[in-house]
Amino acid sequence: MKNTLKTVSLLSLALVLGACGSGAPSTGTPSGVVAGGVNASALKATAMTGKWFVELEGDPTAISAQSIGSQQASFRALAAQRGITYQEVMSYRTLFNGFSVEADEAEIGRISELPGVKSVYPVHKIPMPVTETVPMSQAAEMPDMYYARSMTGADVAQNELGLTGKGVKVGVIDTGIDVDHPAFAGRIVSQYDFVGNAYTGANTPVPGPTQDDCAGHGTHVAGIVGGNVAATSTFRGFKGVAPDVSFGAYRVFGCSGYTQEDVMVAALERAYSDGMQVVNLSIGSAFENWAETPSAIVGSRMVKKGMVVVASAGNSGRNGSYSMGGVTMGDNVISVASVDNSKIELQSFALSDGSKVAYYEGSGSPTAKIGANLTITKKASSTPATTNDGCTASGGFEANSLTGKAVLIRRGTCSFYEKASNAQKAGAAAVILYNNATGYLSPTVTGTPAVTIPVVFVSDTDGAKISGLIAGGVSVTFDGGKTAISNPTGNTLSDFTSYGASAELEQKPDLAAPGGSIISTYPLSVGDQTGYAVLSGTSMASPHVAGAAALMLQAYPNTQAKDMRGLLMNTATLRFYRNGATITNFPDYVQRQGAGMLDIVASYGNPVKVSPNKLSLGESATFATRNKVVVLKNTGATRQVYMARNVPAQTIGGTTLAPAASTAYASMTVNGQNVDTAGTEVIVPPFSEVELNVVVTPPAAAADKAQYGGMLSLGSKTGPSLVVPYSGFKGDYQSIQVLGNEIVNGQTYDFPALYSKRNDVFYAENATVTTPPEFTFASYAADPAKPTVLSTDRPSVLVQLSHQARRLDVDLLDANGTLIETLATQEYLGRNCTNNAAQKSDTCDIYNEYPWDGKLDNGTNAANGSYKLRVRVLKALGDASNPADTETYTSQTFTVKR
């Protein structure tokens, strides 16, 4: 999962995922292929590593090291006895009992059936987060974390409360930390490199005792947690959230490429062994949103053993609901969503009326020369309502009409390159583009022939202002200035931040922090070597919370790790839903913001602890009204008085891949009093506890399968106000279809599908196959250019998971449909990111593949004859004894002919 996004727009901070790989398949019947077959050359799962986690039964935090060693030895012996072929990569004994192994899918299926094996899970690729450095010309005058720190109260915590994180150790599992950056001088107390510089995720790691950062992301994250350097004549100052913490640096990425999930789990165990008190993970695996996956299990066990674990919620919000995954799903892990920074600093130019105008520089054009002064003009017909300003179809510009001047051009209809190129041909010395919508963009004017004049982009408001000044005469001076502007999306949730809930309908994420457009430290040897960069993503939000946890541990060193989440969550402040450029008066989905924005000062001053710190209400099909008891415990000597009321948030309607906002909301009573329109008073005496009986009724107007939510708000008259987020599912959760269909070249096919790798053909579920396909299980060279790389002629089942699955079994049947044996079992499966082959990427699996190697469970070859493959999927929160909670697919008959 990419937890960092390149900043491309103040309004959207858009993540652009390009389709990759080969072209779309034919939808007809290929020559030489039996009727019913469809060419599958574009359907290749790409986010898998060929490695698997094998989890054994014992909990390593509850049994002895001797017992763990005995279990692992027994597994190895039994696998050898059964003739199972695999390569052990890593063994885990501290927080996870098991291994990561390299194995063929068929072999891992046999491993999953071994006694003592609790479950197997794929080891996922984790891509290197995208980064963007700040040019030296900007970095010299940009403020540090000033705006972001003020959003969370970190500035007040440092300057007025005296909290700096001193004495607290924070582990950063990432790309490393730049050991030469002065912001970390003498403060890296533990470190380990798990991979080496040359590691790309596709080669063998080369571990080492010392780490450094040649990629940038980890240094940026660590700077937010607690970078600290004073300004000098040659280097700008910087201060993170907890500027006196000590660091553990655990490097799991090389200089480029990917890491793998098993490397990350090894780093988690190392951070625990090194005695870190807080650990930050700005990495994860999207869509694997179970608390029972290996990385989430390890995260939860770390909290159980006394470490505060903070993890980014992920940047897969544009892939729909249930899109979180990885460590962030752990039961007591603090999962952090992203909010856009309140202000952004941009380059600016001066107008002759004395005003300053902020702008983005166009990519593909030269930088404006400092001191250049140009008269501004525009096309005579141009107005702030013109839709095709400067486009060739509108006549472009008259020859020589713009000589030596800067021309103002409104966005719309044709490309930025076309507008700039037309202006250049007419003699313009610079182009000032302005928006036709609210906010800013970072324009690209790359093309042939190249644009050789400066091109800048200003907001719609500034563009309209300049347009109105032109008649009276106005000029621009590129003076190299900077200006802080209010971010149009500031203080609202970032577009990219992922949606919950978990696969088990647990409320996730937990809270939010600044993550959009954050400046922080960057390796001195990377990028333009200024030592700073601006990055965006939940990667940047998570370290704000990790730093806040360090401040709280300094203030309250006896705080239990399991209680830190509630301490930070229940004093958070709501973020409101943004519909395009309009911020509404309705709170954004709790499935995206959790309790809301981190408020460090309120957490520090809050004497009342809330238990539980959030309410996960589950599905409403069986119990429509949910009763929960919330306990308020006053640890102080002052009576606390609250006004309790229901603050509903947006409901998530639509579909999983296309969520839509709804204002249908739940109703609530507290201690029998309706709190939807008026509150009820709650008094908590000193050193006392008070129970609140909270009853939530799902929104009647919400669509079936909607996720609703909101806050039990406790507005205080005597201290910090409190919030307890709640979330639930409207209707029957098991009514969500898990086995979905696949869209290939615009056509929808019934999946699952039987697949022949050798012929590169799949047989859709509804396809009639008159001549059963044959499989020989013989080896062959799939790529003639690589004759030594052999594949096996064998059948597979392609499965599109439209929702998370609790368990998946692959069965071998005879031609009559009678069960011969179960070939493979997987538990806690994530959903596929999309059902459209045109939208796949190298980190996005659009289906899962389950092959059969022609062997039975005892290792012998199955006899020649006719067979079928069956897939059984138990739905999330499903009852295995209820047939309605299991979906089943059976393939067409195929023939084994060795």
Side-chain angles (χ1 to χ4, degrees):
M1 176 179 68
K2 295 180 180 178
N3 282 350
T4 306
L5 309 179
K6 184 175 180 179
T7 303
V8 297
S9 163
L10 293 185
L11 192 60
S12 65
L13 295 172
L15 169 63
V16 180
L17 291 176
C20 74
S22 53
S26 165
T27 55
T29 302
S31 175
V33 178
V34 295
V38 177
N39 182 266
S41 60
L43 291 179
K44 303 298 179 189
T46 53
M48 308 304 289
T49 63
K51 292 196 293 187
W52 303 81
F53 287 109
V54 178
E55 184 182 14
L56 304 183
E57 292 287 354
D59 178 349
T61 64
I63 61 177
S64 68
Q66 184 178 2
S67 295
I68 294 171
S70 176
Q71 287 185 8
Q72 295 191 2
S74 296
F75 166 81
R76 295 184 184 104
L78 186 57
Q81 179 184 334
R82 297 282 180 90
I84 297 175
T85 301
Y86 73 99
Q87 177 66 48
E88 184 176 319
V89 180
M90 294 185 182
S91 173
Y92 308 97
R93 295 189 174 201
T94 306
L95 298 167
F96 185 78
N97 180 12
F99 317 91
S100 66
V101 302
E102 291 180 352
D104 178 273
E105 291 95 334
E107 296 288 1
I108 203 66
R110 297 175 64 204
I111 288 174
S112 73
E113 298 299 311
L114 290 178
V117 172
K118 182 178 181 180
S119 193
V120 298
Y121 315 85
V123 172
H124 288 90
K125 286 183 186 178
I126 301 174
M128 174 81 71
V130 177
T131 59
E132 178 179 284
T133 60
V134 175
M136 188 66 173
S137 59
Q138 294 182 43
E141 296 184 30
M142 289 186 77
D144 56 13
M145 286 258 296
Y146 176 79
Y147 299 121
R149 284 207 317 271
S150 66
M151 289 170 70
T152 65
D155 55 345
V156 175
Q158 293 170 13
N159 300 328
E160 298 182 23
L161 303 179
L163 299 178
T164 63
K166 189 174 182 61
V168 180
K169 292 189 288 187
V170 180
V172 175
I173 298 174
D174 215 293
T175 65
I177 300 176
D178 181 11
V179 296
D180 297 317
H181 200 296
F184 310 106
R187 297 167 58 211
I188 300 175
V189 296
S190 300
Q191 58 181 308
Y192 192 76
D193 184 354
F194 287 85
V195 293
N197 280 5
Y199 181 67
T200 64
N203 53 358
T204 302
V206 181
T210 59
Q211 63 78 51
D212 203 354
D213 186 3
C214 55
H217 186 264
T219 299
H220 195 277
V221 165
I224 296 171
V225 171
N228 190 6
V229 59
T232 69
S233 59
T234 59
F235 198 79
R236 61 184 292 275
F238 181 87
K239 188 176 287 187
V241 174
D244 285 336
V245 296
S246 299
F247 287 100
Y250 305 99
R251 185 184 183 206
V252 295
F253 288 94
C255 297
S256 62
Y258 301 81
T259 191
Q260 296 189 7
E261 197 175 0
D262 58 340
V263 176
M264 188 174 71
V265 170
L268 285 164
E269 289 203 333
R270 179 65 179 253
Y272 168 73
S273 298
D274 284 349
M276 295 295 111
Q277 296 160 271
V278 180
V279 66
N280 182 84
L281 293 106
S282 289
I283 49 181
S285 302
F287 315 109
E288 307 298 317
N289 68 346
W290 294 90
E292 293 82 2
T293 55
S295 55
I297 290 170
V298 170
S300 293
R301 287 174 178 164
M302 292 174 80
V303 180
K304 179 180 177 182
K305 299 293 283 186
M307 292 178 63
V308 177
V309 181
V310 185
S312 54
N315 300 331
S316 297
R318 295 186 186 90
N319 291 94
S321 303
Y322 309 101
S323 56
M324 298 172 60
V327 179
T328 199
M329 306 311 297
D331 286 333
N332 290 304
V333 172
I334 304 174
S335 175
V336 188
S338 174
V339 170
D340 283 355
N341 207 340
S342 60
K343 285 186 179 290
I344 304 294
E345 287 234 347
L346 296 180
Q347 298 179 81
S348 68
F349 55 66
L351 294 177
S352 52
D353 69 352
S355 62
K356 292 274 192 176
V357 176
Y359 68 86
Y360 265 104
E361 192 173 274
S363 175
S365 69
T367 298
K369 188 175 296 184
I370 293 179
N373 178 268
L374 302 171
T375 299
I376 304 176
T377 188
K378 65 177 181 177
K379 193 173 182 179
S381 60
S382 174
T383 74
T386 301
T387 59
N388 58 356
D389 199 8
C391 296
T392 302
S394 70
F397 300 96
E398 294 183 13
N400 303 317
S401 63
L402 307 177
T403 300
K405 297 179 180 180
V407 59
L408 180 72
I409 308 175
R410 189 170 186 257
R411 174 190 177 198
T413 305
C414 60
S415 70
F416 295 135
Y417 171 77
E418 183 176 322
K419 294 173 185 284
S421 181
N422 285 339
Q424 180 172 285
K425 291 174 185 176
V431 173
I432 302 173
L433 299 167
Y434 69 105
N435 211 346
N436 58 4
T438 302
Y440 296 77
L441 292 174
S442 181
T444 298
V445 293
T446 302
T448 303
V451 172
T452 58
I453 58 175
V455 177
V456 300
F457 191 95
V458 304
S459 70
D460 56 329
T461 302
D462 285 331
K465 172 188 172 180
I466 296 170
S467 180
L469 292 172
I470 289 175
V474 64
S475 63
V476 56
T477 300
F478 290 97
D479 58 1
K482 311 290 181 300
T483 188
I485 64 167
S486 294
N487 187 351
T489 62
N491 276 305
T492 65
L493 289 175
S494 303
D495 287 346
F496 51 76
T497 201
S498 291
Y499 288 77
S502 82
E504 295 163 296
L505 296 180
E506 290 298 313
Q507 168 60 49
K508 285 282 184 175
D510 298 311
L511 76 168
S517 298
I518 307 298
I519 188 169
S520 182
T521 49
Y522 208 66
L524 298 170
S525 59
V526 178
D528 61 13
Q529 302 178 16
T530 65
Y532 297 93
V534 172
L535 306 181
S536 296
T538 55
S539 281
M540 286 58 256
S542 181
H544 279 88
V545 176
L551 298 181
M552 292 300 104
L553 286 176
Q554 180 191 3
Y556 306 112
N558 294 324
T559 303
Q560 298 294 305
K562 64 182 178 61
D563 297 329
M564 183 61 73
R565 183 173 68 185
L567 177 64
L568 299 177
M569 278 182 64
N570 296 132
T571 53
T573 57
L574 289 174
R575 300 298 94 181
F576 289 85
Y577 181 72
R578 174 168 45 84
N579 183 9
T582 303
I583 299 175
T584 70
N585 60 359
F586 226 72
D588 211 318
Y589 311 114
V590 294
Q591 292 84 1
R592 294 190 79 203
Q593 71 169 309
M597 171 72 84
L598 171 71
D599 186 334
I600 297 171
V601 176
S603 296
Y604 172 83
N606 174 35
V608 176
K609 312 308 178 189
V610 184
S611 180
N613 47 52
K614 57 183 176 180
L615 305 177
S616 299
L617 305 177
E619 60 183 317
S620 66
T622 306
F623 301 100
T625 298
R626 292 289 180 171
N627 293 45
K628 295 287 184 178
V629 174
V630 175
V631 178
L632 306 181
K633 182 178 181 179
N634 188 353
T635 62
T638 304
R639 183 183 76 153
Q640 301 296 324
V641 181
Y642 301 98
M643 185 62 65
R645 64 189 184 96
N646 179 29
V647 179
Q650 289 279 13
T651 290
I652 304 176
T655 63
T656 295
L657 295 179
S662 164
T663 55
Y665 58 86
S667 60
M668 177 187 291
T669 64
V670 174
N671 295 339
Q673 300 296 311
N674 185 296
V675 292
D676 291 338
T677 55
T680 185
E681 188 174 75
V682 176
I683 299 174
V684 189
F687 307 112
S688 300
E689 292 184 2
V690 168
E691 289 188 355
L692 304 181
N693 184 22
V694 180
V695 179
V696 180
T697 302
D704 186 46
K705 302 182 183 64
Q707 289 192 72
Y708 65 91
M711 308 283 175
L712 165 61
S713 171
L714 297 166
S716 177
K717 301 177 181 179
T718 53
S721 296
L722 306 177
V723 292
V724 182
Y726 65 86
S727 65
F729 181 89
K730 173 73 179 296
D732 180 6
Y733 186 47
Q734 285 70 49
S735 67
I736 296 178
Q737 184 174 337
V738 176
L739 295 176
N741 295 328
E742 195 76 46
I743 301 171
V744 182
N745 200 28
Q747 181 172 343
T748 300
Y749 292 94
D750 285 349
F751 263 45
L754 179 66
Y755 177 54
S756 169
K757 182 176 182 179
R758 182 162 195 170
N759 295 319
D760 196 24
V761 168
F762 69 83
Y763 302 85
E765 183 177 9
N766 64 344
T768 299
V769 180
T770 55
T771 303
E774 295 180 349
F775 298 93
T776 66
F777 298 97
S779 297
Y780 68 98
D783 184 353
K786 300 177 181 178
T788 61
V789 179
L790 300 180
S791 297
T792 303
D793 179 23
R794 64 187 184 184
S796 300
V797 177
L798 306 183
V799 178
Q800 202 285 328
L801 294 176
S802 291
H803 195 69
Q804 283 73 13
R806 170 62 183 81
R807 177 184 173 102
L808 183 147
D809 294 286
V810 181
D811 300 324
L812 179 67
L813 312 179
D814 66 19
N816 296 318
T818 302
L819 175 66
I820 298 174
E821 63 185 31
T822 297
L823 300 172
T825 298
Q826 288 188 32
E827 297 188 281
Y828 305 110
L829 291 87
R831 75 168 173 88
N832 296 121
C833 61
T834 179
N835 62 357
N836 192 337
Q839 297 171 355
K840 72 173 188 172
S841 74
D842 61 354
T843 58
C844 171
D845 285 329
I846 60 173
Y847 70 91
N848 296 353
E849 181 177 1
Y850 300 96
W852 179 43
D853 65 354
K855 296 182 182 296
L856 301 178
D857 188 51
N858 61 11
T860 63
N861 289 334
N864 286 351
S866 297
Y867 299 89
K868 298 178 181 180
L869 293 175
R870 181 176 67 190
V871 174
R872 291 176 288 125
V873 171
L874 175 63
K875 299 186 177 190
L877 296 181
D879 179 358
S881 66
N882 181 0
D885 289 353
T886 297
E887 293 182 25
T888 302
Y889 153 83
T890 302
S891 77
Q892 296 91 344
T893 301
F894 60 88
T895 301
V896 171
K897 187 176 182 181
R898 297 183 192 276

